[in-house]
Amino acid sequence: DLACQSLLYAFSNGPKACAFGSGLRQGVQEGRTPICTSEGELGFVIGIASLESQLMKISVIIPVFNAAAYVEQAVASALAQTETGEVLLVEDGSHDGSLAECRKLVGTDKRIKLLRHPDGRNLGAGASRNLGIKASTCSLTAFLDADDFYLPGRFAVGHEILDAHSD
């Protein structure tokens, strides 16, 4: 989205903000590809690891089967991670009100999406994870059971490892 309020230029010493306007025209004229970060800043793809790590987001896939009492805590723990770009709830034909709970959660945050198997059938955790993978839009994927939750900083070590080995 070119309506971003600031422009990120990445130099060898890291990102540097500059005013929106002539910098955008110059960057596009130089053949760089403009991108918009999830934080609403405009930047250019030029292959610097520090910029790439800022843009790296994770799709958290949560298969949900008879977990109405737990799914809200699972979703909240996933959304609390700064790396979470989306949460995909895959409702797997529950009989306990899980579908209603998932629908309620979808309305609370635009990053939460609800998926179901055809005809609302129960196909199991594996098929639900696969459905989530097919629908995911982020560069990385993580799984979380609906009756579990992430602790703060869940992805911090993995993020450091990926930053160190961006090649």
Side-chain angles (χ1 to χ4, degrees):
D1 182 343
L2 299 181
C4 297
Q5 294 302 309
S6 64
L7 179 65
L8 279 183
Y9 268 138
F11 294 98
S12 60
N13 62 349
K16 177 182 174 185
C18 67
F20 180 79
S22 64
L24 172 63
R25 285 189 297 276
Q26 179 183 351
V28 171
Q29 288 171 350
E30 292 171 359
R32 291 188 261 173
T33 304
I35 55 167
C36 192
T37 71
S38 61
E39 291 80 26
E41 295 179 313
L42 185 66
F44 291 103
V45 177
I46 58 177
I48 293 179
S50 61
L51 181 59
E52 289 172 5
S53 67
Q54 290 175 15
L55 302 177
M56 182 178 59
K57 292 294 182 183
I58 298 172
S59 294
V60 177
I61 299 169
I62 304 177
V64 180
F65 180 72
N66 291 339
Y70 309 104
V71 70
E72 183 175 4
Q73 182 180 17
V75 169
S77 74
L79 292 175
Q81 310 301 316
T82 59
E83 298 87 357
T84 299
E86 66 182 350
V87 174
L88 301 171
L89 298 171
V90 185
E91 208 291 316
D92 193 25
S94 300
H95 306 288
D96 72 340
S98 290
L99 179 58
E101 185 66 23
C102 289
R103 285 183 173 144
K104 181 184 88 173
L105 291 168
V106 167
T108 64
D109 192 300
K110 66 180 182 176
R111 296 174 291 170
I112 304 171
K113 298 173 180 85
L114 175 59
L115 305 170
R116 298 185 73 201
H117 298 291
D119 300 323
R121 292 180 300 183
N122 171 260
L123 298 180
S128 296
R129 288 184 181 105
N130 288 337
L131 181 60
I133 290 169
K134 289 176 187 173
S136 66
T137 62
C138 296
S139 58
L140 298 173
T141 306
F143 300 112
L144 177 62
D145 290 339
D147 63 348
D148 211 342
F149 60 90
Y150 288 143
L151 295 174
R154 163 63 180 94
F155 301 118
V157 172
H159 198 259
E160 289 173 16
I161 291 169
L162 289 173
D163 276 350
H165 302 283
S166 62
D167 54 334

